[in-house]
Amino acid sequence: MIKATINNKVVKAKHNQTILAVAKENGIYIPTLCYLKKYNEIGYCRLCVVEIKGNKNLISACNTILESGMEINTNSKKVLNSRRTTLKLLSANHRFDCFNCPREQQCNFYEQLKYHEIDDDEYETSSGRHLCFIKGNAVTQDLSKCILCKRCVSVCQTQGGANVIKFNDDVGYRPRVSPIDKVSFDKTGCTSCGACIRTCPTGTLQITSSKEQLENFVQSDNIVVAQISHYVYSALHEEIKKPFFQNNQEVVYSLLEQIGIDYYVDDNLGIDLLTHYQEEEFKDRLETNSNLPFITSDSPALTSYVEHYQPQYLTNLSTVKPAYQLQAEALKKIVAKEKEIDVSKVKVISITQCLSAKNQITSENSNVDLVLTTAELGKYAKRKKLSFTPVPLKKLKPLYQIDNLLSNSAIESIVYSNDQNEILNFKSVSKAYPSLKEATTTLFGKKIKILAVMGNGAFKEMVEFLAESNKKYHFIEARGCLGGCINGGGQPQNIKELEKVFAVREKNYQKLAVSRRNIKRNVDFKNKVKNLSLNYKTTFKEKDFIK
C-alpha cells in the first residue's frame, strides 16, 4: 500500500493507481475534460493538472501514477491559474450558440466554464476553429465547436471498432478531428453506433435531427403510427433531468399524443416475430450443421460493422430482419386493412435507442419511414413545452396495449419461448477478454454453447479470441453498442461517468421488465398477424468504404 498526501490529507493507494483515481476515491475533486476512463487517459487537455512538491512543472493527474511520499496540491493558485488559462484558450476557438446547441444542459465544457467562473468577457467571441458542418444520415459534426479533446478518436477505435475519426494536424496551427478524408460519416465505414456522440464533451458530434420530417409526417394526410422500443422508457428522463418515471409508458404515450401521432404501440410484437423467425433459422442450422456459429442480426450497428470490417462472418449472420422492421411491416398491413386505405398511406415512426437505425432505414427495403431517437424525443418535447405529466392509460388511445417483457437477450427469448425456466449464467471467457461472456444451455435436445458480445469493439476482440483459443460456439449474441442495446447511441447524452450511467439504466430497465414466461400474450393482436405474409428475411453483402 502506498501513502501520499493530497491537499494535506493522507491518502492510501494501490500500486499503479493514478493521482486522479486516488483523489476520486477520497472525495477530492479534480476537473477533467478529455479524460475518459479506460479509453482516453492521455492528459491532453491539461485541465486535470496538479502541483507536486518539488516539481517545477504541473503534471496531469489522469495519467500520472501516484508514488509514495508525494505531496500533491489540486487547487493551488498556480494550478487554478493554469486551468483558467486552458479554458480561456479553448473558449477562444469554440463557437458559442448554447441556446441552439443539441447538448443543452448536458455539456461537459460548459460545466467546467461555470465551475471555474470563466466569463464571456474574458475571451473574444469566436466563430470556431473550423466553420465546417458535416451532415450524415445518423451522425452530424459541427467542427466550429470542437475543442480537440480526442475522446471521439479513442472510442471510435475501441468501442466502435471502426477507426474512422482521425486527429489531423497537417496544417499544424489548425488541427481538426474529423472523419477520414473530411467526408460524411456515411461514406467512411462509420457504423453509426453513436459512441463518439455519447462521449463528446461539447455539441461537436450530434444526432442528425429528424424534427422537420416528424412535423411533415404529422401534418400530412397519412396515418402515422409510432412504435416504441422498450429501452426508451428506461432513459427518457435523463434528457429532461428528472427522476426516473415509474409510469413512464404513460408519459411517452402522452408526449406522442401531444405531438399529433395517430396511433402508437410498443415493440413487443416485433420481438415476438424476431424470436420466432430466429428460432426457426437457428434450429435449421443446428440440424444441417451449416453457417455456425449463428450470429444475431437485429443490431444495425453490429451488422454494419460485420459488413464493413468482418465480411468473413456475413454467412453467419441471421437473415431475419430486426424487430422494428418486422413490426413496421405488420403494422402497415394491419392499419391499411382496418382503415381500408392503401398501405402507402400508413407511415411508421420508430421511437428507439438505436442511432444506427437512422442509417439502416435509408435502404430500399425498409418498412420504417422515420427513426426518432430517445434523445430527440426528449429534446423536441422540451423545446415545444410539452407536458411530461403522465396520463392514465385508460384515457389514452394506444393502437394495442401489450405488456412489457424481458428481452435483453435473443437467446434468452428463444429459451423462454421453449418453456424453459432457465436463467442463463454468463461468465467472462478469460481475464484477457473480460468483455466476452459465455454460457451454456440445452435447446432442441442439444447442448448449446453461447457467446455474448456487446459492442463492435468487443466483436473485434472476439475475432482475436476465437483465433487464439480455437473455441467453438453455436450461438453468438452480438450487439453493436457497449453494454448492449440499452446503451444505444440514440439514448440521451449524460455528463456522468459512462459506467455509472449504464448501471442506472440497467437498474431502471429491470424495474420495468418482467419475464416472458409470466406474460399472457395479446391473443387478438397476434391473431391479426397470423395470416399476414411478412417479408421477414434480409440479405447481407460486403460494402465498399473509404479507407
Side-chain angles (χ1 to χ4, degrees), residues 250-267:
E250 293 94 321
V251 172
V252 175
Y253 291 169
S254 175
L255 292 177
L256 295 178
E257 289 208 349
Q258 292 174 70
I259 290 172
I261 301 296
D262 297 308
Y263 299 104
Y264 39 89
V265 64
D266 293 347
D267 64 348

Side-chain angles (χ1 to χ4, degrees), residues 273-297 315-320 410-415 417-418 420 424 439-451 472-477 536-537:
L273 292 170
L274 176 69
T275 301
H276 171 70
Y277 291 131
Q278 281 193 337
E279 179 182 337
E280 284 190 342
E281 186 175 26
F282 179 48
K283 185 177 181 181
D284 180 64
R285 291 194 192 182
L286 278 176
E287 291 175 351
T288 59
N289 194 30
S290 60
N291 294 331
L292 293 175
F294 176 96
I295 303 178
T296 53
S297 62
T315 55
N316 297 95
L317 285 175
S318 167
T319 62
V320 181
I411 189 64
E412 284 181 340
S413 295
I414 293 174
V415 169
S417 70
N418 281 270
Q420 293 180 210
L424 301 180
T440 58
T441 189
T442 301
L443 269 176
F444 318 123
K446 294 184 178 183
K447 185 178 180 180
I448 305 299
K449 294 183 179 180
I450 308 157
L451 184 65
K472 304 292 183 183
Y473 294 91
H474 299 94
F475 195 105
I476 296 180
E477 181 87 38
Y536 69 92
K537 285 195 174 185

Side-chain angles (χ1 to χ4, degrees), residues 416-428:
Y416 293 156
S417 70
N418 281 270
D419 297 321
Q420 293 180 210
N421 289 327
E422 178 185 6
I423 297 176
L424 301 180
N425 184 23
F426 284 92
K427 295 182 179 180
S428 294

Side-chain angles (χ1 to χ4, degrees), residues 87-96 109 123-130 143-148 173-174:
L87 288 169
K88 289 176 186 178
L89 290 171
L90 291 174
S91 298
N93 287 291
H94 177 82
R95 183 171 67 88
F96 287 90
F109 185 44
Y123 53 86
E124 295 181 8
T125 302
S126 171
S127 58
R129 185 174 275 105
H130 295 279
L143 280 167
S144 69
K145 296 179 178 294
C146 183
I147 58 172
L148 304 177
Y173 64 94
R174 294 196 70 202

Side-chain angles (χ1 to χ4, degrees), residues 10 98 111 113 163 190 262 292 337 451 461 482 485 518:
V10 177
C98 300
E111 288 295 311
L113 292 176
N163 201 24
C190 172
D262 297 308
L292 293 175
K337 184 176 180 181
L451 184 65
E461 291 182 4
L482 186 68
C485 294
N518 295 326

Side-chain angles (χ1 to χ4, degrees), residues 485-513:
C485 294
I486 196 171
N487 301 313
Q491 297 285 54
Q493 293 161 298
N494 203 307
I495 61 175
K496 297 178 182 177
E497 288 185 13
L498 293 182
E499 291 179 352
K500 292 180 180 179
V501 173
F502 291 174
V504 171
R505 282 180 187 165
E506 184 63 33
K507 185 177 180 180
N508 291 338
Y509 177 75
Q510 295 302 332
K511 291 178 183 177
L512 301 170

Side-chain angles (χ1 to χ4, degrees), residues 216-337:
N216 288 338
F217 275 136
V218 172
Q219 294 166 9
S220 70
D221 59 354
N222 296 309
I223 291 180
V224 182
V225 184
Q227 54 181 14
I228 311 148
S229 167
H230 47 290
Y231 294 116
V232 170
Y233 301 129
S234 62
L236 178 66
H237 64 288
E238 294 175 19
E239 185 61 49
I240 55 176
K241 285 194 168 183
K242 285 193 175 184
F244 174 65
F245 300 125
Q246 289 293 345
N247 43 359
N248 53 16
Q249 274 182 295
E250 293 94 321
V251 172
V252 175
Y253 291 169
S254 175
L255 292 177
L256 295 178
E257 289 208 349
Q258 292 174 70
I259 290 172
I261 301 296
D262 297 308
Y263 299 104
Y264 39 89
V265 64
D266 293 347
D267 64 348
N268 297 33
L269 172 72
I271 294 169
D272 278 350
L273 292 170
L274 176 69
T275 301
H276 171 70
Y277 291 131
Q278 281 193 337
E279 179 182 337
E280 284 190 342
E281 186 175 26
F282 179 48
K283 185 177 181 181
D284 180 64
R285 291 194 192 182
L286 278 176
E287 291 175 351
T288 59
N289 194 30
S290 60
N291 294 331
L292 293 175
F294 176 96
I295 303 178
T296 53
S297 62
D298 50 309
S299 168
L302 188 280
T303 55
S304 178
Y305 175 76
V306 173
E307 286 182 312
H308 283 104
Y309 303 104
Q310 306 291 346
Q312 70 272 27
Y313 285 100
L314 284 175
T315 55
N316 297 95
L317 285 175
S318 167
T319 62
V320 181
K321 289 180 179 178
Y324 80 109
Q325 290 283 357
L326 294 172
Q327 178 164 296
E329 183 181 353
L331 290 175
K332 287 187 174 184
K333 291 183 177 180
I334 292 170
V335 174
K337 184 176 180 181

Side-chain angles (χ1 to χ4, degrees), residues 3-177:
K3 286 186 179 181
T5 61
I6 303 180
N7 297 346
N8 298 319
K9 177 182 178 180
V10 177
V11 297
K12 295 179 181 180
K14 299 175 184 177
H15 288 281
N16 294 320
Q17 272 193 297
T18 64
I19 294 173
L20 178 63
V22 177
K24 282 187 176 183
E25 288 180 357
N26 287 273
I28 300 170
Y29 178 66
I30 297 177
T32 63
L33 201 54
C34 73
Y35 171 79
L36 199 60
K37 187 177 179 181
K38 293 194 297 185
Y39 299 104
N40 203 50
E41 302 179 2
I42 58 176
Y44 185 72
C45 72
R46 305 295 294 168
L47 193 64
C48 69
V49 293
V50 295
E51 188 172 7
I52 299 178
K53 187 176 180 180
N55 281 36
K56 181 179 179 181
N57 300 319
L58 301 178
I59 57 98
S60 53
C62 71
N63 61 349
T64 300
I65 302 300
L66 185 133
E67 296 177 2
S68 182
M70 275 186 173
E71 294 181 32
I72 303 164
N73 193 327
T74 69
N75 55 14
S76 66
K77 185 175 181 180
K78 185 178 181 180
V79 167
L80 295 178
N81 285 341
S82 174
R83 290 177 185 161
R84 285 179 58 84
T85 299
T86 294
L87 288 169
K88 289 176 186 178
L89 290 171
L90 291 174
S91 298
N93 287 291
H94 177 82
R95 183 171 67 88
F96 287 90
D97 65 337
C98 300
F99 69 95
N100 194 40
C101 180
R103 286 309 294 259
E104 295 180 345
Q105 298 175 353
Q106 295 286 3
C107 178
N108 303 71
F109 185 44
Y110 185 65
E111 288 295 311
Q112 291 301 337
L113 292 176
K114 287 195 298 182
Y115 178 81
H116 290 88
E117 299 180 332
I118 307 294
D119 298 321
D120 57 5
D121 60 354
E122 295 186 62
Y123 53 86
E124 295 181 8
T125 302
S126 171
S127 58
R129 185 174 275 105
H130 295 279
L131 275 176
C132 182
F133 202 77
I134 304 172
K135 187 173 182 180
N137 295 323
V139 181
T140 292
Q141 186 178 31
D142 181 356
L143 280 167
S144 69
K145 296 179 178 294
C146 183
I147 58 172
L148 304 177
C149 69
K150 298 185 180 181
R151 276 188 179 189
C152 59
V153 177
S154 176
V155 296
C156 185
Q157 183 176 14
T158 54
Q159 294 180 27
N163 201 24
V164 300
I165 304 179
K166 302 286 188 179
F167 180 84
N168 304 299
D169 57 353
D170 14 342
V171 186
Y173 64 94
R174 294 196 70 202
R176 59 185 286 153
V177 175

